[in-house]
Amino acid sequence: MNNYNQIFHEDFGFFENMNQSYNLYDSIDLMVQDFSGIFIVSNKDLTFRLMGTYIKKKEEKTKKKQLYSLGIKEIRKIGSDSAIQIRNDFERLVLIFTQLKYYKSIDDVEIQKEEL
């Protein structure tokens, strides 16, 4: 059975490289802690945005924050093949993030059970 630490260590290099290359957030741990989810908003062309959702505690509302955007100007500079590869990397990032959030929730429940 996979758990948070196993997934984190297996994909740490990829996640850290993405974070540093695209200046997404302060750290992986903070990203998992602060955001309830991340997702990609894409257009018919190759442009897309990576968005993070979080809950503003005082207002108890879900908010969105743009973490990255690949626009048409950048695509023209790097080419469509590179843009497709970047998009695929971000899709993998979303998948890994979702797994981390899922297993972090399970670990949190297990810790709470042990405290009872």
Side-chain angles (χ1 to χ4, degrees):
M1 179 176 175
N2 290 333
N3 62 29
Y4 178 84
N5 290 329
Q6 181 179 352
I7 291 170
F8 184 84
H9 291 296
E10 286 174 1
D11 293 308
F12 178 78
F14 171 77
F15 214 113
E16 187 65 19
N17 184 41
M18 290 289 290
N19 192 29
Q20 289 177 355
S21 297
Y22 300 105
N23 197 24
L24 301 175
Y25 209 64
D26 294 335
S27 74
I28 299 166
D29 290 327
L30 284 176
M31 193 174 185
V32 171
Q33 178 182 332
D34 292 350
F35 292 104
S36 55
I38 62 173
F39 60 97
I40 295 174
V41 177
S42 60
N43 299 313
K44 290 184 181 184
D45 55 10
L46 295 174
T47 62
F48 69 92
R49 294 178 290 149
L50 179 70
M51 304 293 290
T53 58
Y54 63 96
I55 297 174
K56 197 165 186 176
K57 293 180 180 169
K58 289 183 181 179
E59 300 172 13
E60 295 184 14
K61 291 183 179 179
T62 301
K63 300 284 187 174
K64 296 176 189 155
K65 179 179 181 175
Q66 180 173 301
L67 301 172
Y68 179 77
S69 176
L70 182 66
I72 198 73
K73 288 181 182 179
E74 292 88 6
I75 292 172
R76 286 183 183 145
K77 289 178 187 175
I78 63 173
S80 60
D81 290 340
S82 293
I84 290 168
Q85 183 60 49
I86 291 169
R87 164 79 187 243
N88 290 340
D89 288 345
F90 273 98
E91 288 174 351
R92 180 176 173 204
L93 180 82
V94 170
L95 177 65
I96 293 167
F97 178 88
T98 303
Q99 288 175 329
L100 287 172
K101 286 298 286 188
Y102 175 76
Y103 286 111
K104 177 84 168 121
S105 297
I106 291 172
D107 288 351
D108 290 346
V109 168
E110 292 296 324
I111 289 169
Q112 289 176 357
K113 283 173 58 176
E114 289 174 4
E115 290 175 354
L116 295 175

